[in-house]
Amino acid sequence: GAGVSQSPSNKVTEKGKDVELRCDPISGHTALYWYRQSLGQGLEFLIYFQGNSAPDKSGLPSDRFSAERTGGSVSTLTIQRTQQEDSAVYLCASSLGIGGGAQHFGDGTRLSIL
Amino acid sequence: SQQGEEDPQALSIQEGENATMNCSYKTSINNLQWYRQNSGRGLVHLILIRSNEREKHSGRLRVTLDTSKKSSSLLITASRAADTASYFCATDWQGAQKLVFGQGTRLTINP
């Protein structure tokens, strides 16, 4: 497809379990971003990948959160030992990565921790 | 903490009226962008205005930027029911491509 694709669209899991969220960016976009959106709130930056550079992890809330981007394309956000406060919508975006500019978002993964 | 603050938090108007939303930010910026989010969906980019620009138009959208006041406004003219959504401003600054988002304005257009 032409847009950013995220999977799964919904995930329900028990507290303490690990979860993996996947993002397929737009082909050719070198920059990839993860954000978290709590109910009725704005977006909170988590992590940013740009080409082969070291990622900007400054937004990750704890060491339970990690992300990787393989081959400069698909990215996986992993949350270990999930807590109830991790419940949110996790949004991925990609961009051309040149001098800022418009970011293109997927529809997100709605994560619910029981 | 988020840099942007938006005003109002919620706005309800009649179809055909104009809608104005405001955004304030705290530090110097490179660009300011506006996004729309329909319920349960991702964000859609609407318009980008650079720090050296003061006004920009795109269709029924008009964005202004006042860097001395660290504020921006988004005007939607001749609103339609399909404009019902949440609207967010987002800023980035020199050397950083990550965006900092405001809390958003929830706009409802009544038919």
Side-chain angles (χ1 to χ4, degrees):
Chain A
V4 176
S5 177
Q6 292 188 245
S7 62
S9 55
N10 286 281
K11 177 72 176 178
V12 180
T13 193
E14 293 180 348
K15 176 182 172 181
K17 300 286 189 183
D18 297 351
V19 295
E20 282 190 355
L21 313 179
R22 177 187 168 102
C23 173
D24 277 282
I26 293 172
S27 178
H29 280 190
T30 60
L32 186 148
Y33 313 79
W34 284 97
Y35 296 91
R36 179 168 71 175
Q37 184 176 32
S38 300
L39 186 63
Q41 300 295 309
L43 276 68
E44 173 190 12
F45 166 78
L46 297 177
I47 187 169
Y48 154 59
F49 296 89
Q50 171 61 62
N52 295 322
S53 301
D56 177 353
K57 304 180 181 179
S58 60
L60 295 179
S62 77
D63 59 7
R64 297 186 295 104
F65 288 71
S66 63
E68 60 180 26
R69 188 179 185 191
T70 54
S73 181
V74 172
S75 177
T76 302
L77 177 68
T78 301
I79 309 173
Q80 296 179 308
R81 305 180 303 281
T82 52
Q83 303 294 314
Q84 287 188 330
E85 60 263 29
D86 299 335
S87 295
V89 176
Y90 289 81
L91 291 159
C92 174
S94 68
S95 74
L96 289 171
I98 301 172
Q103 294 185 14
H104 302 263
F105 283 79
D107 284 339
T109 294
R110 182 173 299 277
L111 177 64
S112 300
I113 310 298
L114 302 179
Chain B
S1 63
Q2 294 182 350
Q3 174 170 241
E5 293 185 3
E6 296 182 62
D7 165 53
Q9 291 187 343
L11 178 63
S12 181
I13 62 174
Q14 295 301 119
E15 194 167 20
E17 294 180 340
N18 295 341
T20 299
M21 289 159 274
N22 302 295
C23 166
S24 61
Y25 56 92
K26 297 177 182 175
T27 62
S28 296
I29 62 169
N30 201 29
N31 303 301
L32 186 143
Q33 304 181 40
W34 285 90
Y35 288 81
R36 183 187 74 226
Q37 184 179 36
N38 291 90
S39 181
R41 303 299 300 274
L43 278 71
V44 174
H45 179 260
L46 296 176
I47 197 165
L48 179 151
I49 187 165
R50 302 196 184 281
S51 60
N52 61 353
E53 297 177 310
R54 292 297 168 258
E55 187 171 315
K56 204 160 183 179
H57 298 255
S58 176
R60 294 184 296 113
L61 305 181
R62 171 179 171 250
V63 169
T64 62
L65 178 64
D66 187 334
T67 52
S68 67
K69 295 181 179 178
K70 292 187 171 59
S71 67
S72 174
S73 67
L74 171 66
L75 168 67
I76 303 174
T77 60
S79 63
R80 305 168 181 170
D83 295 330
T84 294
S86 291
Y87 291 81
F88 295 89
C89 69
T91 54
D92 65 76
W93 58 97
Q94 193 68 34
Q97 290 187 194
K98 64 187 181 186
L99 294 178
V100 177
F101 285 83
Q103 299 280 7
T105 293
R106 189 169 63 254
L107 176 65
T108 302
I109 309 299
N110 301 303

